[in-house]
Amino acid sequence: MFRIVLPAIVVTGLVGPAAHAQTRDAVEELVRPQIEAMLPPREAGGVAAAVSVDAHVHFFMHGAADLAKSSPVTADSIFNLASVGKLFATTLLAQAVEQGEMKLDDPVAAYIPELAQGADIRRVTLGQLASHTSGLPRAPESYEQWHRGKYTLPDFFRFLRIWKAGQGHQPGGQYLYSNAGIILLRIALERRFDLPFATLMQERLTEPLGMSSTALPLPPALSSRAVQGYGPKGAPIGAPGEEQGSFTWPGAGQIYSSGRDMAVFLRANLGGLIGHRALQDAMAFSQRVVLRVNPQFAQALGWQIVSGPDIRIVEKNGGLNNTSSYIGLVPRRKLGLAILVNRGRQPATRIGREILYELAHEPVEGRAEEQPDPD
């Protein structure tokens, strides 16, 4: 999957402005064709990408934020992150664990009294929710196929109380990707800190990092920058900033952000921001392997880790019918990439991995050779 023919580009060392310009040109030559190839020209949708190479961030924009209005995508356009937004809940959990406020082994029912009379849900821990090893299904309606409409919070608690783990997916035993599990983790965080999840995210994560364009849900002050979402074939879907999903209560929807904000999130997860040591330590903790699924794939807290013969990428992707997203890190090379697309079912993950592979294998003077990351 990672055996890619690389272009013959040599990136010189970072020694002052001239070297930085050469690095920018090389990154431009390597990344821009990949970004622009994601969407056909003059069709609906656009791409915002942020690339972090060593200490420098590069932005790449392509296409339309709203085709009908002829408005282009910019670094400040706001996209639905889809499942990339799961990383905010798992980062908050990692931070709470690092600060001694919660434990990965804590039962989720200890924080949510409504689950005290449940069955298998009482065996589920916070760490299992964050690592997709709880056994909970992707969505409650896949378990309760008779249910019609979206789930209210009482509906969700009722489902959790009667839920029975499948024979092959007992809590803590196997990997089973679960949107429901991350929503439950958000509720546990709310109960522990007695704050709405959106406030908790702002006070403990986005505000300290200066991520002023990241929110849940999207407030009126940011709505003018929200992109129009498009389906896989280019048809508009929903209004800009309109949430999707199975749940109806505040704090259970998708998180929105800009390419500029996601560049900050990249840098923080690579340990590259001055004055945020504790938060960056928590981010590093969230990237540790919890469950090795097979030799090429492992699960951390929210993050997934894919390994090839000569690369290890820490990543998360997301997608809805009108958005596609990807964030990936190569920590040993101090490389990071975020891709936001306002069109559904686009190859953001494949393109993201190819870009990271190419960047990781470009020689840079003075840069140490990559060493294996410990699990």
Side-chain angles (χ1 to χ4, degrees):
M1 177 168 57
F2 296 103
R3 295 291 187 182
I4 302 169
V5 178
L6 303 180
I9 300 173
V10 178
V11 181
T12 58
L14 301 178
V15 191
H20 181 200
Q22 292 172 357
T23 300
R24 183 177 61 248
D25 292 344
V27 173
E28 176 95 12
E29 183 178 351
L30 193 153
V31 174
R32 186 167 292 284
Q34 295 267 43
I35 295 301
E36 293 184 351
M38 289 187 66
L39 292 173
R42 295 180 296 279
E43 288 199 11
V47 185
V51 182
S52 180
V53 182
D54 294 313
H56 305 294
V57 175
H58 311 271
F59 293 98
F60 300 89
M61 311 301 148
H62 173 64
D66 191 324
L67 186 62
K69 297 179 180 178
S70 299
S71 56
V73 167
T74 73
D76 296 305
S77 298
I78 294 177
F79 293 75
N80 187 329
L81 294 181
S83 286
V84 167
K86 288 180 170 63
L87 296 176
F88 291 86
T90 56
T91 299
L92 288 171
L93 174 63
Q95 181 190 52
V97 170
E98 286 280 275
Q99 295 180 182
E101 298 163 318
M102 303 174 90
K103 297 179 180 178
L104 293 182
D105 291 337
D106 286 347
V108 65
Y111 294 93
I112 304 173
E114 292 90 337
L115 303 182
Q117 302 304 313
D120 284 357
I121 195 62
R122 290 182 296 173
R123 300 163 50 200
V124 172
T125 68
L126 301 178
Q128 291 164 4
L129 295 176
S131 60
H132 299 289
T133 57
S134 67
L136 283 166
R138 178 180 286 266
E141 58 264 35
S142 63
Y143 185 87
E144 297 183 330
Q145 297 183 11
W146 52 265
H147 186 88
R148 295 294 178 266
K150 294 190 176 185
Y151 277 73
T152 64
L153 187 56
D155 287 334
F156 189 49
F157 286 151
R158 175 197 48 73
F159 150 71
L160 293 168
R161 286 193 295 267
I162 66 172
W163 165 73
K164 298 283 188 180
Q167 185 174 358
H169 290 287
Q170 295 297 308
Q174 298 86 24
Y175 170 82
L176 183 63
Y177 191 84
S178 177
N179 296 328
I182 298 297
I183 295 300
L184 183 54
L185 175 60
R186 288 187 187 182
I187 297 171
L189 289 163
E190 289 181 329
R191 297 295 180 86
R192 168 59 181 85
F193 295 103
D194 194 27
L195 287 172
F197 180 77
T199 304
L200 190 64
M201 183 179 78
Q202 179 182 3
E203 291 186 357
R204 295 175 70 104
L205 186 54
T206 61
E207 193 171 85
L209 293 179
M211 297 172 62
S212 59
S213 297
T214 303
L216 164 74
L218 197 62
L222 298 179
S223 60
S224 64
R225 290 196 271 130
V227 298
Q228 172 63 55
Y230 298 93
K233 295 183 178 181
I237 295 180
E242 182 176 283
E243 292 189 49
Q244 298 186 32
S246 303
F247 309 107
T248 61
W249 66 91
Q254 287 95 36
I255 296 170
Y256 289 79
S257 190
S258 67
R260 196 177 305 279
D261 270 17
M262 291 308 292
V264 176
F265 192 68
L266 278 175
R267 293 288 311 285
N269 272 281
L270 290 168
L273 297 183
I274 297 173
H276 296 283
R277 177 64 182 272
L279 181 53
Q280 291 177 138
D281 285 348
M283 289 175 163
F285 177 76
S286 74
Q287 297 170 27
R288 297 178 187 174
V289 171
V290 173
L291 176 71
R292 183 159 294 284
V293 180
N294 59 50
Q296 291 78 42
F297 177 80
Q299 181 65 49
L301 298 181
W303 295 96
Q304 298 162 345
I305 301 168
V306 292
S307 301
D310 52 359
I311 195 169
R312 183 175 186 267
I313 298 176
V314 181
E315 66 177 15
K316 184 72 188 79
N317 58 5
L320 296 167
N321 61 3
N322 63 354
T323 190
S324 306
S325 56
Y326 176 81
I327 182 171
L329 315 169
V330 184
R332 285 290 184 180
R333 286 284 186 150
K334 297 298 183 185
L335 292 174
L337 168 68
I339 299 175
L340 306 176
V341 190
N342 60 330
R343 185 160 166 170
R345 297 179 188 170
Q346 300 306 300
T349 301
R350 175 178 62 80
I351 296 298
R353 289 174 178 176
E354 290 179 1
I355 289 172
L356 287 172
Y357 185 94
E358 293 177 5
L359 287 171
H361 290 79
E362 284 302 315
V364 177
E365 182 181 336
R367 176 190 276 173
E369 288 301 306
E370 183 174 10
Q371 300 297 320
D373 277 320
D375 285 348

